[in-house]
Amino acid sequence: MYAIDHEDLGTPASRASESVTVRIDGLPVTVPAGTSIMRAAALAGSRIPKLCATDTLKAFGSCRLCLVEIEGRKGYPASCTTQVADGMSVHTRTEKLSALRRGVMELYVSDHPLDCDGCPADTHCELQDMAAVVGVRDTPYAPGGVVHADATRDVSNPYFAFDPSLCIACSRCVRACDETQSTLALTMEGRGFDSRIVASQDEPFLTSECVSCGACVEACPTAALSEKSLAAAGQPDRTVTTTCGYCGVGCSLNAEVKGEAVVRMVPDRKGGANAGHACIKGRFAYGYTTHADRVTTPMIRRKITDPWLPVTWEVAIAHAAREFKRLQATYGRDSIGGITSSRCSNEETFLVQKLVRAGFGNNNVDTCARVCHSPTGYGLKHTLGESAGTQTFTSVMKCDVIMLIGANVTEGHPVFGSQMKRRMREGARLIVVDPRAIDVVRTPHVTASHHLQLKPGTNVAVMNAIAHVVVTEGLAKEDFALARCEPESWHRWKVFVSRPDNSPEALEGVTGVPAGELRAAARLYAGAPNAAIYYGLGVTEHSQGTSMVMAIANLAMATGNFGREGVGVNPLRGQNNVQGSCDMGSFPHEFSGYRHCSDATVRGLFESHWRVTLPTEPGLRIPNMFEAALDGSFKGMYVQGEDLAQSDPNTQHVTAALSALECLVVQDLFINETAKYAHVFLPGSSFLEKDGTFTNAERRISPVRKVLNPPAGLQDWEITQMLANALGYPMNYSHPREIMAEIAELTPTFTGVSYEKLDRLGSLQWPCNDRAPEGTPTMHVREFVRGKGRFYVTEYVPTDERTTSRYPLILTTGRVLTQYNVGAQTRRTANVAWHDEDRLEIHPSDAEARGIADGDWVGVASRAGETVLRATVTARVHPGVVYTTFHFPESGANVITTDNSDWATNCPEYKVTAVEVVKVDQPSEWQRRFHEDDRRQRRLTPSADVDRV
Ligand code: SF4
Ligand code: SF4
Ligand code: SF4
Ligand code: FES
């Protein structure tokens, strides 16, 4: 139940191009053909009373409140389900209509009396409003009739409650779950008075198929479905539009606030990426921002075994700067570095890399995108000329065939996942390339045409085989390739993929994908008018991650799938600002806009702007920093918003490197796993407590606006600025808009970006410059950014990580809807009701061979380490493959992942680890040490209310 949006025109807009003119209460109005009378009347300024209609859902016509009279027609049709016709004359306000509407409303009120005091929807209830509009205060029906007042409430969902006694059976929730979310978890059971809303097979919401997106709650016109937060806190007093801080979809959200507390999040209907939808994380899981674990004071300590000492900002910053200066004086300029985060804003990220290059005087800056999408940057830059996806999310609605590779779209990118399912229900076909049967492979409502269930680590072989079919069966778009791409590279690539050893039959034994299935999928993709590839970390986190990205670009170029809506190559970014952190120059060899630090012209631009001499050689990548720490040449690190000790592979190697540092400065919300090795802790600000921008997977730059004050007093950019000044490199920004102005001045793809324009347009997709002042929704339209596209030969090279008799299974990793990345945020919300531990999925045959039953504790050992998890026995994984998530530090998923990495970018090979699984009855040695260390560090951390020195 939400405040009536006065722009709600009752039914969705018609997309027809022809117009018709009608008269509504005597006034002429011209609207597209197919428009409902209700919408046409609203456009003419006449609001027809309604309950079951809303302009985000198709008209249903159940409440009968919206009746109208049409000249020359008998009866009183529902205006929401009746379309206008040229010359039609409609009356919306007659005495007869008023009487009819009153009668309808009296019936509603007989079962849902208007005793609204104390109801969370009071003053924001459409039933209450409509009763007033039609002039009903009470029901004439005698008390004591059969009503639903005693119906049992369902409060199982932590975030919202369902009160059947307030339900008016309008079906808006059912339609929202169907049309907006595409989950179809709700049905209307029974008829007439016995109608009732049922989740799944009449289950509590918590355990039903419901994924807690909240779309039904938003659609409900009464308090039948309502947020618990609203009941607890009351109505908000202000609204701030900002951008979700979780995944790379980048949903725009209206934070409704009362005093200094968020009451609820409402997805913004004008949001370019989400158009009014959100998932459980964005809509509900913001409670971590006020969790008791938040550190709200800066802290320092000499050794990591010492208790933390709370200090003032001045003392903490001076201490960090003194230590960094000491290390550089003792061990050299290159002995320190900094890490930016894909969870932080563009402005914060830009400032950290500036601090490193201009303040530290080296290029030792890297980002957590190193461990997820660095192959995307490299692969797409080399083939197409730009390190980013090519389309908007809505482009999928023009797609005929979707190829989804290594991306669990409904879990990792839920709002886009819903949109994709909508498109599938309209008829688009889906090809899934994934070792696991992810949700979209088969649901009751959408089914993939092909699931190429490959063996982990054989992506490139599969893609070469698809390309082989396309080329050898004459399905390639030769004209496009010759006109838009380098002919020599095209011919070389064609010869390569045509080789018999790249045929599906030759590679079947390697990939595990039946040749016939692969051929059919290749034909489907190549034969589609519009085919698009969407991919995730299942593509990049491999030793051949970059080769696979190039292979994807090759295939799309060979089939002419670039430069218009419904096509393209679309990396789905995991975290909110993966795209932005890469754009902002976080890699050790690149300035913002992906320009190499050895380019004297580019460097000169930054040098004159920043008034320093900048280093010419690339700095250290994260893995090189760890190696250098272990060999004693790298001694200090500034880490903003990133948890290396949990998210990077081979945890024991990482923690050994962090332990070797003399000064580790961590800026974060919580004492995360990395902070346990820190000497200075600087309390950061959450996405609700800062101004800035995030850039999503569509290159969409969206505003992040301060909703609340940061509990420790400073926004993250202010902390970096203080540190720079203490190091002797002056920074004097007064607001992030000035940082964005500098980014725009120094970055060709951002020259047209400003806060003023973002405020005006809501968001902007880069490139945004003189050639595209309002941004670029679709890239590579007439030519590729690099001019001619370039095909690369992508020879399949098996990973060194092989199964053996000692390690006979392949472990691959992924994520779940309710948790996010390392879980630091979502573990501190009620989302743990759905997922409170990482489990190991194992195929029934592998489980049986090892005597493992569902729920058993199992030891998972690799060449790097060993951990213990509980088993889920499931056929979602193939025999020979096991799978887990990495949201809980104690699971130690990265204790077992190895140091193998992508040949071009060092992106870790998280997706392929040879392991053995055995039944056990106690935690691993690493887990015992982890829990001891965790308890010790908690004892060393003061509680929130402490005096600073
Ligand atoms: S919360 Fe979302 S998934 Fe759950 S019933 Fe409502 S609309 Fe459907
Ligand atoms: S729960 Fe709300 S939206 Fe669903 S049928 Fe009842 S009143 Fe309508
Ligand atoms: S987590 Fe992603 S899909 Fe969910 S609301 Fe946030 S940005 Fe949108
Ligand atoms: S609003 Fe038209 S029938 Fe309900």
Side-chain angles (χ1 to χ4, degrees), residues 244 246-247 249-251 278-279 281-282 414-415:
C244 178
Y246 282 119
C247 87
V249 176
C251 296
C279 77
K281 294 192 286 285
V415 164

mmCIF file of all heavy atoms in Angstrom, residues 244 246-247 249-251 278-279 281-282 414-415, ligand 3:
data_model
loop_
_atom_site.group_PDB
_atom_site.id
_atom_site.type_symbol
_atom_site.label_atom_id
_atom_site.label_comp_id
_atom_site.label_asym_id
_atom_site.label_seq_id
_atom_site.Cartn_x
_atom_site.Cartn_y
_atom_site.Cartn_z
ATOM 1 N N CYS A 244 20.580 2.197 -5.527
ATOM 2 C CA CYS A 244 20.843 1.020 -4.692
ATOM 3 C C CYS A 244 22.347 0.775 -4.584
ATOM 4 O O CYS A 244 23.080 0.895 -5.561
ATOM 5 C CB CYS A 244 20.156 -0.200 -5.295
ATOM 6 S SG CYS A 244 20.469 -1.722 -4.359
ATOM 7 N N TYR A 246 23.726 -2.126 -3.829
ATOM 8 C CA TYR A 246 24.075 -3.544 -3.968
ATOM 9 C C TYR A 246 24.580 -3.864 -5.372
ATOM 10 O O TYR A 246 25.720 -3.601 -5.682
ATOM 11 C CB TYR A 246 22.890 -4.424 -3.565
ATOM 12 C CG TYR A 246 22.706 -4.570 -2.050
ATOM 13 C CD1 TYR A 246 21.553 -4.139 -1.421
ATOM 14 C CD2 TYR A 246 23.693 -5.156 -1.273
ATOM 15 C CE1 TYR A 246 21.374 -4.292 -0.048
ATOM 16 C CE2 TYR A 246 23.522 -5.320 0.101
ATOM 17 C CZ TYR A 246 22.365 -4.891 0.711
ATOM 18 O OH TYR A 246 22.203 -5.055 2.069
ATOM 19 N N CYS A 247 23.735 -4.398 -6.245
ATOM 20 C CA CYS A 247 24.315 -5.030 -7.446
ATOM 21 C C CYS A 247 24.442 -4.065 -8.619
ATOM 22 O O CYS A 247 24.008 -2.927 -8.582
ATOM 23 C CB CYS A 247 23.520 -6.268 -7.832
ATOM 24 S SG CYS A 247 22.100 -5.968 -8.902
ATOM 25 N N VAL A 249 22.907 -3.815 -11.309
ATOM 26 C CA VAL A 249 21.725 -3.357 -12.040
ATOM 27 C C VAL A 249 21.542 -1.853 -11.803
ATOM 28 O O VAL A 249 21.198 -1.108 -12.703
ATOM 29 C CB VAL A 249 20.457 -4.139 -11.624
ATOM 30 C CG1 VAL A 249 19.216 -3.574 -12.316
ATOM 31 C CG2 VAL A 249 20.610 -5.621 -11.986
ATOM 32 N N GLY A 250 21.812 -1.416 -10.549
ATOM 33 C CA GLY A 250 21.780 0.022 -10.283
ATOM 34 C C GLY A 250 20.385 0.603 -10.220
ATOM 35 O O GLY A 250 20.076 1.617 -10.861
ATOM 36 N N CYS A 251 19.516 -0.006 -9.422
ATOM 37 C CA CYS A 251 18.137 0.459 -9.337
ATOM 38 C C CYS A 251 18.050 1.812 -8.639
ATOM 39 O O CYS A 251 18.703 2.048 -7.627
ATOM 40 C CB CYS A 251 17.292 -0.556 -8.568
ATOM 41 S SG CYS A 251 17.172 -2.139 -9.407
ATOM 42 N N ALA A 278 12.388 -3.450 -7.860
ATOM 43 C CA ALA A 278 13.598 -3.681 -7.059
ATOM 44 C C ALA A 278 13.576 -5.128 -6.596
ATOM 45 O O ALA A 278 12.594 -5.848 -6.821
ATOM 46 C CB ALA A 278 13.639 -2.735 -5.854
ATOM 47 N N CYS A 279 14.647 -5.546 -5.960
ATOM 48 C CA CYS A 279 14.664 -6.905 -5.395
ATOM 49 C C CYS A 279 14.712 -6.784 -3.878
ATOM 50 O O CYS A 279 14.751 -5.695 -3.317
ATOM 51 C CB CYS A 279 15.858 -7.692 -5.926
ATOM 52 S SG CYS A 279 17.417 -7.248 -5.146
ATOM 53 N N LYS A 281 17.030 -7.117 -1.825
ATOM 54 C CA LYS A 281 18.170 -6.413 -1.228
ATOM 55 C C LYS A 281 17.951 -4.904 -1.263
ATOM 56 O O LYS A 281 18.084 -4.227 -0.255
ATOM 57 C CB LYS A 281 19.460 -6.798 -1.963
ATOM 58 C CG LYS A 281 19.835 -8.268 -1.778
ATOM 59 C CD LYS A 281 21.236 -8.573 -2.239
ATOM 60 C CE LYS A 281 21.395 -8.597 -3.729
ATOM 61 N NZ LYS A 281 20.854 -9.783 -4.399
ATOM 62 N N GLY A 282 17.619 -4.395 -2.446
ATOM 63 C CA GLY A 282 17.461 -2.951 -2.564
ATOM 64 C C GLY A 282 16.256 -2.429 -1.805
ATOM 65 O O GLY A 282 16.296 -1.374 -1.179
ATOM 66 N N PRO A 414 18.746 -9.482 -10.072
ATOM 67 C CA PRO A 414 17.339 -9.898 -10.061
ATOM 68 C C PRO A 414 16.384 -9.026 -10.864
ATOM 69 O O PRO A 414 15.472 -9.570 -11.510
ATOM 70 C CB PRO A 414 16.964 -9.857 -8.578
ATOM 71 C CG PRO A 414 18.235 -9.687 -7.826
ATOM 72 C CD PRO A 414 19.278 -9.192 -8.752
ATOM 73 N N VAL A 415 16.552 -7.740 -10.829
ATOM 74 C CA VAL A 415 15.593 -6.893 -11.556
ATOM 75 C C VAL A 415 15.759 -7.088 -13.059
ATOM 76 O O VAL A 415 14.773 -7.176 -13.807
ATOM 77 C CB VAL A 415 15.739 -5.424 -11.127
ATOM 78 C CG1 VAL A 415 15.063 -4.483 -12.105
ATOM 79 C CG2 VAL A 415 15.129 -5.246 -9.737
HETATM 80 S S1 SF4 B 3 20.387 -5.419 -5.554
HETATM 81 FE FE1 SF4 B 3 20.452 -4.985 -7.731
HETATM 82 S S2 SF4 B 3 18.491 -5.659 -8.547
HETATM 83 FE FE2 SF4 B 3 18.295 -5.534 -6.327
HETATM 84 S S3 SF4 B 3 17.447 -3.489 -5.947
HETATM 85 FE FE3 SF4 B 3 19.677 -3.320 -5.795
HETATM 86 S S4 SF4 B 3 20.410 -2.751 -7.828
HETATM 87 FE FE4 SF4 B 3 18.289 -3.491 -8.026
#
